[in-house]
Amino acid sequence: MMSLPDFKQKQIIIALLNHGEKLSFKNDNFVITDADGKIKHQSTCYRLFALMIVGNISITSGLLQRSKKFGFSITLLSYGLIPYGMWQYKTEGNFLLRQKQYAYKSNAIALHIVQNKIDQQIIHLQKRRNKSDALTQAIDKLRDYRGRLLDESLDFQEILGVEGVASRLYFAHMFDNIEWNGRTPRTKKDIINLLLDIGYMQLFHLIDAMLNLYGFDTYKGVYHKEFYQRKSLVADIVEPFRPIVDYRIRKAYNLGQINPDDFDFINGQYRLFGDKAKPYTKWLLEAILEYKNEMFLYVQQYYRAFMQERTIGAYPMFLGKIP
């Protein structure tokens, strides 16, 4: 298994390919060249953990062979940043782990994850310098919702209900700096929802790659219910880290980094394409990667606690940067 010192050396790269640009490999280096054959980017495959490719590309056997050899995952996205293909590096044959996953029936881990999510919602609202009375009251209310989750007798629907009301309150105050009607996943009906989808997508694929290091069945969750082709476990583990994306988008609005003219409105949805998407994917990914080591340790500790069937107190809690 990969150790934290090894992981610290790894890179997560988003390659936004313009027309005429090509991705290739040379002497075990990952290379992007422009239409004239000039090198725009080059890095060693030995340090690559996950590669997200935006644009048209031909998948070669050399690319897939290097993914297996060097242990990195590949995600393919359209110019509109919609995932359409994936090639994952994963640990095969961890049948004991999967047996434990399929046998697990408790709500204890789900409670733990949602508690951690609300903790992070509170922490990120507390980062605001000037707190109105309404914001202070909202933070106190979130603490109350968090306290309700200490009741271990809560069933799935009750946990879902607490999470839902807490998230609505949280989003109302996280984005009170602009006019916004709330979170509606995957609808892309406004710029915030589109940017949230993009940031969460980046976070999702990073956590997915980490879980695959241990051989999890990422479709078998402990909180999100199983549906056809939905990676419920990834959706579970992502939850405590979502506020990283939320806060960075709020900050971007305050810094004037979001230009409505960059976005296209097509068939009732906002979209980002090509070069206009580059700054947005860049600062979103940078915000996520500030915590990549903490995410790695979270997944590692989750694996160890789950495999050893430890009590819930041994499961990881994401609290922020490691001192």
Side-chain angles (χ1 to χ4, degrees), residues 33 113 118 139 276:
T33 54
I113 288 172
I118 296 178
I139 291 172
K276 290 181 179 180

Side-chain angles (χ1 to χ4, degrees), residues 11-18 21 23 30 32 40-41 43 48-55 73-79 81 198-203 205-206 274 277-289:
Q11 294 178 315
I12 293 90
I13 295 176
I14 295 183
L16 290 96
L17 302 183
N18 294 322
E21 292 182 343
L23 182 155
F30 164 68
I32 298 176
K40 291 186 60 179
H41 174 87
S43 57
L48 191 55
F49 179 72
L51 174 62
M52 302 180 194
I53 304 171
V54 181
S73 297
I74 303 167
T75 302
L76 305 177
L77 302 102
S78 69
Y79 283 113
L81 301 177
I198 292 171
Y200 292 162
M201 177 268 296
Q202 294 177 348
L203 180 60
H205 290 302
L206 178 56
K278 289 183 178 180
Y280 298 91
T281 58
K282 182 176 184 292
W283 52 252
L284 280 167
L285 185 61
E286 286 174 347
I288 292 168
L289 293 186

Side-chain angles (χ1 to χ4, degrees), residues 58-291:
S58 296
I59 296 294
T60 65
S61 59
L63 177 60
L64 302 183
Q65 287 168 2
R66 284 171 173 82
S67 170
K68 291 296 185 182
K69 177 181 177 180
F70 296 103
F72 61 86
S73 297
I74 303 167
T75 302
L76 305 177
L77 302 102
S78 69
Y79 283 113
L81 301 177
I82 299 174
Y84 67 87
M86 189 174 298
W87 175 265
Q88 295 177 319
Y89 173 80
K90 61 178 65 177
T91 295
E92 304 284 357
N94 195 342
F95 68 91
L96 183 58
L97 169 62
R98 296 196 172 199
Q99 284 178 342
K100 291 178 182 292
Q101 283 189 264
Y102 304 147
Y104 184 81
K105 304 298 181 184
S106 172
N107 286 326
I109 301 177
L111 273 168
H112 187 77
I113 288 172
V114 179
Q115 289 169 11
N116 198 182
K117 178 181 181 179
I118 296 178
D119 287 339
Q120 283 301 305
Q121 290 174 339
I122 292 170
I123 287 170
H124 282 78
L125 288 179
Q126 287 176 324
K127 288 184 177 182
R128 304 262 296 276
R129 292 182 179 179
N130 299 316
K131 298 181 181 64
S132 64
D133 289 342
L135 177 58
T136 300
Q137 292 171 8
I139 291 172
D140 289 340
K141 190 66 175 176
L142 284 172
R143 290 195 182 101
D144 177 62
Y145 291 139
R146 206 281 192 196
R148 296 184 192 181
L149 296 172
L150 297 175
D151 182 356
E152 297 179 359
S153 68
L154 292 179
D155 61 25
F156 170 76
Q157 290 298 329
E158 290 170 326
I159 299 170
L160 194 65
V162 173
E163 184 204 3
V165 294
S167 291
R168 284 191 291 273
L169 178 63
Y170 160 76
F171 276 121
H173 289 274
M174 175 54 69
F175 294 110
D176 60 2
N177 56 332
I178 61 172
E179 292 186 11
W180 191 52
N181 294 322
R183 175 65 176 149
T184 51
R186 296 174 296 280
T187 62
K188 300 174 178 57
K189 68 177 185 179
D190 53 55
I191 290 173
I192 285 187
N193 272 296
L194 169 61
L195 291 175
L196 287 171
D197 284 348
I198 292 171
Y200 292 162
M201 177 268 296
Q202 294 177 348
L203 180 60
F204 186 95
H205 290 302
L206 178 56
I207 295 294
D208 189 19
M210 291 179 182
L211 287 167
N212 278 312
L213 289 175
Y214 299 94
F216 280 101
D217 181 346
T218 55
Y219 294 89
K220 181 68 175 73
V222 294
Y223 179 44
H224 289 82
K225 294 300 183 183
E226 291 81 34
F227 290 108
Y228 181 66
Q229 292 190 337
R230 182 168 83 172
K231 294 188 175 183
S232 298
L233 182 62
V234 184
D236 292 342
I237 303 300
V238 158
E239 291 291 3
F241 301 101
R242 289 181 185 271
I244 296 170
V245 173
D246 309 335
Y247 186 78
R248 185 60 183 89
I249 293 172
R250 177 188 170 89
K251 182 179 178 181
Y253 267 98
N254 290 338
L255 294 175
Q257 293 177 319
I258 298 175
N259 181 0
D261 292 338
D262 291 336
F263 298 82
D264 295 296
F265 191 70
I266 302 171
N267 297 326
Q269 294 189 328
Y270 282 86
R271 297 290 187 184
L272 264 176
F273 294 98
D275 287 340
K276 290 181 179 180
K278 289 183 178 180
Y280 298 91
T281 58
K282 182 176 184 292
W283 52 252
L284 280 167
L285 185 61
E286 286 174 347
I288 292 168
L289 293 186
E290 285 185 28
Y291 297 91

